[in-house]
Amino acid sequence: MIIVGLTGGIGSGKSTVANAFNALGIPVYIADEEAKRLMNKSQVIKRELIGLIGEGAYTKEGLNRSFIANIIFKDKSLLNKINDIVHPEVAKHFKKWVKAQNGPYVVKEAAILFENNGYKACDYVITVTAPKDVKMQRLLSRDKTSIERIEAIMQNQWHDEDRIPLSDFVIENTDLENTKKQVLNIHNKILERIR
């Protein structure tokens, strides 16, 4: 199975691009959603997270995301340790998921595809970009958050100038219709290459 990695900074519009591929009949794996699900369901992850940051990592309802976000915000090194716990489990889940798909290729959408070397397991990589002010505007209207928190997340992610040289395709996501055209163009190029 051909694996196409889809990545980009927070607010770049990866979900919009993922939905456009899905509309073309391509199976899409959203790594962040699966990571959140596994953080709630996997006893391995739960045990290791509690061991790393304490009982506050979980409430009776499940993962205590605000507690974890505040800890990471104060201690950036913990983010890597948490990723080291979660990402191997997500990788295992993704491998099982791929085996169950039957499209011409699959898309794996992951915010930190380069940061954790996930791109090395992809046949092609697409980076989604947008100007910083557009990303900020999207995030402030989508999330109940602050500019400081968005800036902190952006600082923990690779910048577009680091991602683009390692990418096979780049989508500038500022206009929905134009983005859909770019997705269709990339889709056709990938189909040509794998035929």
Side-chain angles (χ1 to χ4, degrees):
M1 179 63 77
I2 299 293
I3 297 168
V4 178
L6 174 64
T7 193
I10 187 170
S12 61
K14 294 180 297 299
S15 297
T16 299
V17 172
N19 289 338
F21 275 102
N22 205 242
L24 294 170
I26 301 303
V28 177
Y29 184 92
I30 310 292
D32 288 352
E33 284 177 15
E34 292 302 334
K36 285 173 195 159
R37 196 182 61 73
L38 287 168
M39 287 169 89
N40 276 307
K41 299 242 186 268
S42 167
Q43 291 306 310
V44 173
I45 292 175
K46 193 172 182 178
R47 189 173 54 249
E48 290 189 30
L49 280 182
I50 290 170
L52 178 66
I53 57 178
E55 295 288 334
Y58 289 86
T59 64
K60 286 179 186 144
E61 288 77 42
L63 187 68
N64 189 344
R65 291 178 59 188
S66 60
F67 174 82
I68 292 171
N70 285 330
I71 284 180
I72 292 168
F73 195 65
K74 292 174 187 154
D75 183 355
K76 306 278 184 266
S77 69
L78 278 175
L79 179 60
N80 291 332
K81 290 175 184 170
I82 290 170
N83 285 340
D84 288 344
I85 291 168
V86 177
H87 288 291
E89 296 301 313
V90 174
K92 279 187 219 167
H93 184 267
F94 176 68
K95 279 183 183 174
K96 281 185 199 165
W97 178 85
V98 167
K99 286 178 182 166
Q101 305 310 311
N102 59 8
Y105 64 93
V106 298
V107 170
K108 180 183 185 181
E109 189 252 85
I112 57 171
L113 194 70
F114 289 113
E115 292 87 333
N116 68 9
N117 289 319
Y119 75 102
K120 291 178 179 176
C122 298
D123 298 286
Y124 302 103
V125 175
I126 302 166
T127 288
V128 183
T129 66
K132 187 176 180 182
D133 61 321
V134 172
K135 291 193 261 190
M136 282 287 190
Q137 200 175 352
R138 286 174 182 162
L139 293 164
L140 289 169
S141 63
R142 182 188 81 187
D143 304 337
K144 304 284 181 266
T145 190
S146 66
I147 289 172
E148 293 77 25
R149 180 123 327 160
I150 295 168
E151 291 276 5
I153 293 167
M154 287 180 170
Q155 289 309 309
N156 280 321
Q157 294 183 337
W158 278 28
H159 299 283
D160 289 341
E161 52 270 21
D162 301 317
R163 290 186 193 100
I164 290 170
L166 297 171
S167 301
D168 300 283
F169 306 101
V170 177
I171 293 176
E172 172 72 29
N173 182 24
T174 50
D175 171 77
L176 184 58
E177 287 312 307
N178 186 37
T179 296
K180 287 178 181 175
K181 283 179 193 165
Q182 292 176 77
V183 167
L184 182 59
N185 184 30
I186 291 168
H187 172 70
N188 289 330
K189 283 182 180 171
I190 292 169
L191 290 180
E192 282 169 26
R193 291 181 188 183
I194 63 179
R195 278 191 181 126

mmCIF file of all heavy atoms in Angstrom, residues 110-147:
data_model
loop_
_atom_site.group_PDB
_atom_site.id
_atom_site.type_symbol
_atom_site.label_atom_id
_atom_site.label_comp_id
_atom_site.label_asym_id
_atom_site.label_seq_id
_atom_site.Cartn_x
_atom_site.Cartn_y
_atom_site.Cartn_z
ATOM 1 N N ALA A 110 -0.735 13.820 9.942
ATOM 2 C CA ALA A 110 -0.042 13.914 11.231
ATOM 3 C C ALA A 110 0.639 15.270 11.356
ATOM 4 O O ALA A 110 1.421 15.653 10.485
ATOM 5 C CB ALA A 110 0.984 12.792 11.359
ATOM 6 N N ALA A 111 0.356 15.958 12.445
ATOM 7 C CA ALA A 111 0.941 17.289 12.661
ATOM 8 C C ALA A 111 2.459 17.231 12.783
ATOM 9 O O ALA A 111 3.162 18.122 12.315
ATOM 10 C CB ALA A 111 0.333 17.928 13.910
ATOM 11 N N ILE A 112 2.965 16.172 13.429
ATOM 12 C CA ILE A 112 4.414 16.105 13.652
ATOM 13 C C ILE A 112 5.044 14.941 12.886
ATOM 14 O O ILE A 112 5.808 14.165 13.427
ATOM 15 C CB ILE A 112 4.756 16.078 15.158
ATOM 16 C CG1 ILE A 112 4.068 14.917 15.870
ATOM 17 C CG2 ILE A 112 4.408 17.391 15.822
ATOM 18 C CD1 ILE A 112 4.541 14.712 17.296
ATOM 19 N N LEU A 113 4.740 14.874 11.606
ATOM 20 C CA LEU A 113 5.256 13.807 10.750
ATOM 21 C C LEU A 113 6.785 13.852 10.646
ATOM 22 O O LEU A 113 7.448 12.825 10.676
ATOM 23 C CB LEU A 113 4.635 13.939 9.359
ATOM 24 C CG LEU A 113 4.794 12.751 8.428
ATOM 25 C CD1 LEU A 113 3.955 11.572 8.915
ATOM 26 C CD2 LEU A 113 4.379 13.130 7.013
ATOM 27 N N PHE A 114 7.345 15.042 10.549
ATOM 28 C CA PHE A 114 8.806 15.184 10.443
ATOM 29 C C PHE A 114 9.481 15.100 11.803
ATOM 30 O O PHE A 114 10.533 14.487 11.947
ATOM 31 C CB PHE A 114 9.176 16.499 9.747
ATOM 32 C CG PHE A 114 8.861 16.500 8.286
ATOM 33 C CD1 PHE A 114 7.876 17.322 7.779
ATOM 34 C CD2 PHE A 114 9.534 15.665 7.414
ATOM 35 C CE1 PHE A 114 7.570 17.328 6.422
ATOM 36 C CE2 PHE A 114 9.241 15.648 6.055
ATOM 37 C CZ PHE A 114 8.256 16.489 5.560
ATOM 38 N N GLU A 115 8.862 15.723 12.793
ATOM 39 C CA GLU A 115 9.461 15.796 14.129
ATOM 40 C C GLU A 115 9.737 14.415 14.725
ATOM 41 O O GLU A 115 10.701 14.241 15.459
ATOM 42 C CB GLU A 115 8.546 16.593 15.080
ATOM 43 C CG GLU A 115 8.442 18.072 14.757
ATOM 44 C CD GLU A 115 7.364 18.422 13.745
ATOM 45 O OE1 GLU A 115 6.997 17.585 12.885
ATOM 46 O OE2 GLU A 115 6.881 19.562 13.800
ATOM 47 N N ASN A 116 8.885 13.437 14.409
ATOM 48 C CA ASN A 116 9.086 12.095 14.981
ATOM 49 C C ASN A 116 9.565 11.080 13.933
ATOM 50 O O ASN A 116 9.460 9.877 14.137
ATOM 51 C CB ASN A 116 7.808 11.608 15.677
ATOM 52 C CG ASN A 116 6.673 11.334 14.703
ATOM 53 O OD1 ASN A 116 6.855 11.344 13.501
ATOM 54 N ND2 ASN A 116 5.498 11.095 15.240
ATOM 55 N N ASN A 117 10.072 11.598 12.800
ATOM 56 C CA ASN A 117 10.598 10.765 11.706
ATOM 57 C C ASN A 117 9.546 9.876 11.040
ATOM 58 O O ASN A 117 9.893 8.942 10.326
ATOM 59 C CB ASN A 117 11.791 9.914 12.164
ATOM 60 C CG ASN A 117 13.014 10.768 12.397
ATOM 61 O OD1 ASN A 117 13.301 11.676 11.626
ATOM 62 N ND2 ASN A 117 13.734 10.493 13.466
ATOM 63 N N GLY A 118 8.270 10.170 11.250
ATOM 64 C CA GLY A 118 7.203 9.400 10.621
ATOM 65 C C GLY A 118 7.215 9.497 9.107
ATOM 66 O O GLY A 118 6.727 8.605 8.410
ATOM 67 N N TYR A 119 7.784 10.582 8.581
ATOM 68 C CA TYR A 119 7.832 10.769 7.133
ATOM 69 C C TYR A 119 8.657 9.681 6.433
ATOM 70 O O TYR A 119 8.434 9.394 5.259
ATOM 71 C CB TYR A 119 8.381 12.160 6.779
ATOM 72 C CG TYR A 119 9.877 12.317 6.960
ATOM 73 C CD1 TYR A 119 10.733 12.268 5.864
ATOM 74 C CD2 TYR A 119 10.432 12.517 8.225
ATOM 75 C CE1 TYR A 119 12.104 12.415 6.019
ATOM 76 C CE2 TYR A 119 11.790 12.661 8.388
ATOM 77 C CZ TYR A 119 12.634 12.612 7.286
ATOM 78 O OH TYR A 119 13.981 12.748 7.455
ATOM 79 N N LYS A 120 9.577 9.060 7.173
ATOM 80 C CA LYS A 120 10.444 8.026 6.577
ATOM 81 C C LYS A 120 9.649 6.781 6.181
ATOM 82 O O LYS A 120 10.096 6.011 5.337
ATOM 83 C CB LYS A 120 11.568 7.659 7.542
ATOM 84 C CG LYS A 120 12.578 8.784 7.715
ATOM 85 C CD LYS A 120 13.664 8.433 8.699
ATOM 86 C CE LYS A 120 14.665 9.572 8.825
ATOM 87 N NZ LYS A 120 15.680 9.299 9.849
ATOM 88 N N ALA A 121 8.470 6.599 6.766
ATOM 89 C CA ALA A 121 7.622 5.447 6.437
ATOM 90 C C ALA A 121 6.612 5.785 5.340
ATOM 91 O O ALA A 121 5.749 4.976 5.027
ATOM 92 C CB ALA A 121 6.887 4.976 7.688
ATOM 93 N N CYS A 122 6.726 6.988 4.762
ATOM 94 C CA CYS A 122 5.789 7.425 3.721
ATOM 95 C C CYS A 122 6.440 7.368 2.342
ATOM 96 O O CYS A 122 7.636 7.635 2.208
ATOM 97 C CB CYS A 122 5.332 8.858 3.993
ATOM 98 S SG CYS A 122 4.438 9.046 5.550
ATOM 99 N N ASP A 123 5.630 7.039 1.346
ATOM 100 C CA ASP A 123 6.113 7.036 -0.035
ATOM 101 C C ASP A 123 6.150 8.448 -0.610
ATOM 102 O O ASP A 123 7.011 8.776 -1.424
ATOM 103 C CB ASP A 123 5.213 6.141 -0.895
ATOM 104 C CG ASP A 123 5.252 4.703 -0.409
ATOM 105 O OD1 ASP A 123 6.270 4.036 -0.645
ATOM 106 O OD2 ASP A 123 4.274 4.262 0.242
ATOM 107 N N TYR A 124 5.208 9.274 -0.200
ATOM 108 C CA TYR A 124 5.149 10.684 -0.600
ATOM 109 C C TYR A 124 4.748 11.493 0.619
ATOM 110 O O TYR A 124 4.061 10.987 1.508
ATOM 111 C CB TYR A 124 4.105 10.915 -1.708
ATOM 112 C CG TYR A 124 4.349 10.112 -2.953
ATOM 113 C CD1 TYR A 124 3.588 8.978 -3.227
ATOM 114 C CD2 TYR A 124 5.342 10.478 -3.858
ATOM 115 C CE1 TYR A 124 3.807 8.220 -4.374
ATOM 116 C CE2 TYR A 124 5.573 9.727 -5.007
ATOM 117 C CZ TYR A 124 4.814 8.602 -5.261
ATOM 118 O OH TYR A 124 5.032 7.857 -6.383
ATOM 119 N N VAL A 125 5.145 12.773 0.617
ATOM 120 C CA VAL A 125 4.753 13.669 1.711
ATOM 121 C C VAL A 125 4.204 14.964 1.114
ATOM 122 O O VAL A 125 4.784 15.530 0.190
ATOM 123 C CB VAL A 125 5.942 13.997 2.649
ATOM 124 C CG1 VAL A 125 5.541 15.031 3.696
ATOM 125 C CG2 VAL A 125 6.455 12.735 3.335
ATOM 126 N N ILE A 126 3.074 15.388 1.676
ATOM 127 C CA ILE A 126 2.446 16.659 1.304
ATOM 128 C C ILE A 126 2.523 17.576 2.513
ATOM 129 O O ILE A 126 2.133 17.187 3.622
ATOM 130 C CB ILE A 126 0.961 16.467 0.927
ATOM 131 C CG1 ILE A 126 0.810 15.475 -0.232
ATOM 132 C CG2 ILE A 126 0.311 17.813 0.601
ATOM 133 C CD1 ILE A 126 -0.617 14.988 -0.437
ATOM 134 N N THR A 127 3.009 18.795 2.313
ATOM 135 C CA THR A 127 2.994 19.802 3.369
ATOM 136 C C THR A 127 1.936 20.842 3.021
ATOM 137 O O THR A 127 1.900 21.340 1.896
ATOM 138 C CB THR A 127 4.374 20.480 3.539
ATOM 139 O OG1 THR A 127 5.266 19.533 4.144
ATOM 140 C CG2 THR A 127 4.297 21.703 4.431
ATOM 141 N N VAL A 128 1.084 21.146 4.002
ATOM 142 C CA VAL A 128 0.053 22.170 3.844
ATOM 143 C C VAL A 128 0.580 23.447 4.488
ATOM 144 O O VAL A 128 1.060 23.423 5.623
ATOM 145 C CB VAL A 128 -1.270 21.744 4.523
ATOM 146 C CG1 VAL A 128 -2.352 22.792 4.296
ATOM 147 C CG2 VAL A 128 -1.726 20.381 4.012
ATOM 148 N N THR A 129 0.506 24.550 3.751
ATOM 149 C CA THR A 129 0.988 25.828 4.275
ATOM 150 C C THR A 129 -0.113 26.874 4.231
ATOM 151 O O THR A 129 -1.090 26.733 3.475
ATOM 152 C CB THR A 129 2.192 26.354 3.465
ATOM 153 O OG1 THR A 129 1.755 26.681 2.142
ATOM 154 C CG2 THR A 129 3.324 25.347 3.402
ATOM 155 N N ALA A 130 0.071 27.913 5.015
ATOM 156 C CA ALA A 130 -0.788 29.098 5.000
ATOM 157 C C ALA A 130 -0.003 30.203 5.705
ATOM 158 O O ALA A 130 0.828 29.909 6.564
ATOM 159 C CB ALA A 130 -2.108 28.833 5.728
ATOM 160 N N PRO A 131 -0.246 31.459 5.347
ATOM 161 C CA PRO A 131 0.450 32.547 6.045
ATOM 162 C C PRO A 131 0.121 32.535 7.544
ATOM 163 O O PRO A 131 -0.973 32.119 7.942
ATOM 164 C CB PRO A 131 -0.107 33.810 5.376
ATOM 165 C CG PRO A 131 -0.647 33.350 4.057
ATOM 166 C CD PRO A 131 -1.118 31.940 4.287
ATOM 167 N N LYS A 132 1.080 33.004 8.347
ATOM 168 C CA LYS A 132 0.921 32.959 9.804
ATOM 169 C C LYS A 132 -0.335 33.694 10.271
ATOM 170 O O LYS A 132 -1.047 33.200 11.147
ATOM 171 C CB LYS A 132 2.158 33.545 10.498
ATOM 172 C CG LYS A 132 2.117 33.383 11.996
ATOM 173 C CD LYS A 132 3.373 33.866 12.674
ATOM 174 C CE LYS A 132 3.259 33.676 14.178
ATOM 175 N NZ LYS A 132 4.433 34.158 14.897
ATOM 176 N N ASP A 133 -0.636 34.843 9.684
ATOM 177 C CA ASP A 133 -1.817 35.595 10.132
ATOM 178 C C ASP A 133 -3.109 34.825 9.839
ATOM 179 O O ASP A 133 -4.058 34.869 10.628
ATOM 180 C CB ASP A 133 -1.853 36.998 9.514
ATOM 181 C CG ASP A 133 -1.918 37.000 7.991
ATOM 182 O OD1 ASP A 133 -1.252 36.149 7.371
ATOM 183 O OD2 ASP A 133 -2.643 37.844 7.425
ATOM 184 N N VAL A 134 -3.130 34.096 8.722
ATOM 185 C CA VAL A 134 -4.300 33.266 8.385
ATOM 186 C C VAL A 134 -4.437 32.134 9.402
ATOM 187 O O VAL A 134 -5.530 31.848 9.903
ATOM 188 C CB VAL A 134 -4.182 32.698 6.941
ATOM 189 C CG1 VAL A 134 -5.285 31.689 6.647
ATOM 190 C CG2 VAL A 134 -4.213 33.825 5.923
ATOM 191 N N LYS A 135 -3.298 31.485 9.735
ATOM 192 C CA LYS A 135 -3.320 30.394 10.722
ATOM 193 C C LYS A 135 -3.816 30.909 12.069
ATOM 194 O O LYS A 135 -4.660 30.277 12.713
ATOM 195 C CB LYS A 135 -1.922 29.770 10.873
ATOM 196 C CG LYS A 135 -1.469 29.004 9.650
ATOM 197 C CD LYS A 135 -0.262 28.164 9.951
ATOM 198 C CE LYS A 135 1.001 28.820 9.507
ATOM 199 N NZ LYS A 135 2.178 27.948 9.569
ATOM 200 N N MET A 136 -3.300 32.062 12.498
ATOM 201 C CA MET A 136 -3.712 32.654 13.787
ATOM 202 C C MET A 136 -5.215 32.918 13.802
ATOM 203 O O MET A 136 -5.903 32.581 14.759
ATOM 204 C CB MET A 136 -2.970 33.975 14.038
ATOM 205 C CG MET A 136 -1.566 33.796 14.508
ATOM 206 S SD MET A 136 -1.575 33.217 16.231
ATOM 207 C CE MET A 136 0.135 33.377 16.622
ATOM 208 N N GLN A 137 -5.706 33.517 12.725
ATOM 209 C CA GLN A 137 -7.127 33.843 12.619
ATOM 210 C C GLN A 137 -7.982 32.575 12.728
ATOM 211 O O GLN A 137 -8.972 32.547 13.459
ATOM 212 C CB GLN A 137 -7.357 34.542 11.274
ATOM 213 C CG GLN A 137 -8.614 35.341 11.179
ATOM 214 C CD GLN A 137 -8.666 36.091 9.849
ATOM 215 O OE1 GLN A 137 -7.710 36.129 9.071
ATOM 216 N NE2 GLN A 137 -9.820 36.672 9.589
ATOM 217 N N ARG A 138 -7.593 31.527 12.005
ATOM 218 C CA ARG A 138 -8.323 30.254 12.056
ATOM 219 C C ARG A 138 -8.348 29.687 13.460
ATOM 220 O O ARG A 138 -9.386 29.241 13.944
ATOM 221 C CB ARG A 138 -7.652 29.229 11.128
ATOM 222 C CG ARG A 138 -7.883 29.450 9.673
ATOM 223 C CD ARG A 138 -7.068 28.472 8.851
ATOM 224 N NE ARG A 138 -7.238 28.711 7.426
ATOM 225 C CZ ARG A 138 -6.421 28.258 6.495
ATOM 226 N NH1 ARG A 138 -5.371 27.521 6.830
ATOM 227 N NH2 ARG A 138 -6.637 28.526 5.236
ATOM 228 N N LEU A 139 -7.185 29.681 14.112
ATOM 229 C CA LEU A 139 -7.077 29.069 15.435
ATOM 230 C C LEU A 139 -7.839 29.849 16.499
ATOM 231 O O LEU A 139 -8.475 29.266 17.368
ATOM 232 C CB LEU A 139 -5.607 28.926 15.830
ATOM 233 C CG LEU A 139 -4.825 27.915 14.975
ATOM 234 C CD1 LEU A 139 -3.337 28.109 15.153
ATOM 235 C CD2 LEU A 139 -5.235 26.491 15.320
ATOM 236 N N LEU A 140 -7.786 31.173 16.437
ATOM 237 C CA LEU A 140 -8.494 31.990 17.420
ATOM 238 C C LEU A 140 -10.005 31.848 17.271
ATOM 239 O O LEU A 140 -10.733 31.879 18.256
ATOM 240 C CB LEU A 140 -8.072 33.456 17.314
ATOM 241 C CG LEU A 140 -6.654 33.756 17.805
ATOM 242 C CD1 LEU A 140 -6.237 35.169 17.420
ATOM 243 C CD2 LEU A 140 -6.527 33.552 19.312
ATOM 244 N N SER A 141 -10.485 31.652 16.025
ATOM 245 C CA SER A 141 -11.930 31.477 15.847
ATOM 246 C C SER A 141 -12.365 30.034 16.112
ATOM 247 O O SER A 141 -13.492 29.795 16.526
ATOM 248 C CB SER A 141 -12.372 31.933 14.457
ATOM 249 O OG SER A 141 -11.764 31.152 13.467
ATOM 250 N N ARG A 142 -11.451 29.056 15.920
ATOM 251 C CA ARG A 142 -11.790 27.637 16.102
ATOM 252 C C ARG A 142 -11.663 27.191 17.555
ATOM 253 O O ARG A 142 -12.507 26.482 18.076
ATOM 254 C CB ARG A 142 -10.864 26.788 15.218
ATOM 255 C CG ARG A 142 -11.134 25.303 15.274
ATOM 256 C CD ARG A 142 -10.074 24.516 14.549
ATOM 257 N NE ARG A 142 -8.890 24.341 15.380
ATOM 258 C CZ ARG A 142 -7.751 23.801 14.956
ATOM 259 N NH1 ARG A 142 -7.624 23.423 13.710
ATOM 260 N NH2 ARG A 142 -6.739 23.664 15.781
ATOM 261 N N ASP A 143 -10.576 27.577 18.203
ATOM 262 C CA ASP A 143 -10.272 27.102 19.561
ATOM 263 C C ASP A 143 -10.470 28.212 20.579
ATOM 264 O O ASP A 143 -10.257 29.373 20.281
ATOM 265 C CB ASP A 143 -8.808 26.611 19.645
ATOM 266 C CG ASP A 143 -8.493 25.536 18.620
ATOM 267 O OD1 ASP A 143 -9.432 24.868 18.149
ATOM 268 O OD2 ASP A 143 -7.310 25.372 18.290
ATOM 269 N N LYS A 144 -10.828 27.820 21.761
ATOM 270 C CA LYS A 144 -10.908 28.786 22.863
ATOM 271 C C LYS A 144 -9.501 28.850 23.478
ATOM 272 O O LYS A 144 -9.196 28.152 24.440
ATOM 273 C CB LYS A 144 -11.929 28.338 23.913
ATOM 274 C CG LYS A 144 -13.311 28.088 23.348
ATOM 275 C CD LYS A 144 -14.043 29.382 23.076
ATOM 276 C CE LYS A 144 -15.432 29.156 22.546
ATOM 277 N NZ LYS A 144 -15.535 29.159 21.101
ATOM 278 N N THR A 145 -8.648 29.673 22.868
ATOM 279 C CA THR A 145 -7.253 29.711 23.299
ATOM 280 C C THR A 145 -6.703 31.120 23.189
ATOM 281 O O THR A 145 -7.410 32.042 22.796
ATOM 282 C CB THR A 145 -6.412 28.705 22.474
ATOM 283 O OG1 THR A 145 -5.122 28.589 23.049
ATOM 284 C CG2 THR A 145 -6.285 29.120 21.017
ATOM 285 N N SER A 146 -5.441 31.262 23.515
ATOM 286 C CA SER A 146 -4.796 32.572 23.481
ATOM 287 C C SER A 146 -3.697 32.592 22.422
ATOM 288 O O SER A 146 -3.201 31.548 22.000
ATOM 289 C CB SER A 146 -4.172 32.877 24.849
ATOM 290 O OG SER A 146 -3.113 31.957 25.101
ATOM 291 N N ILE A 147 -3.312 33.782 22.031
ATOM 292 C CA ILE A 147 -2.213 33.943 21.068
ATOM 293 C C ILE A 147 -0.940 33.329 21.652
ATOM 294 O O ILE A 147 -0.184 32.688 20.932
ATOM 295 C CB ILE A 147 -2.018 35.443 20.724
ATOM 296 C CG1 ILE A 147 -3.194 35.922 19.872
ATOM 297 C CG2 ILE A 147 -0.690 35.667 20.002
ATOM 298 C CD1 ILE A 147 -3.241 37.408 19.611
#
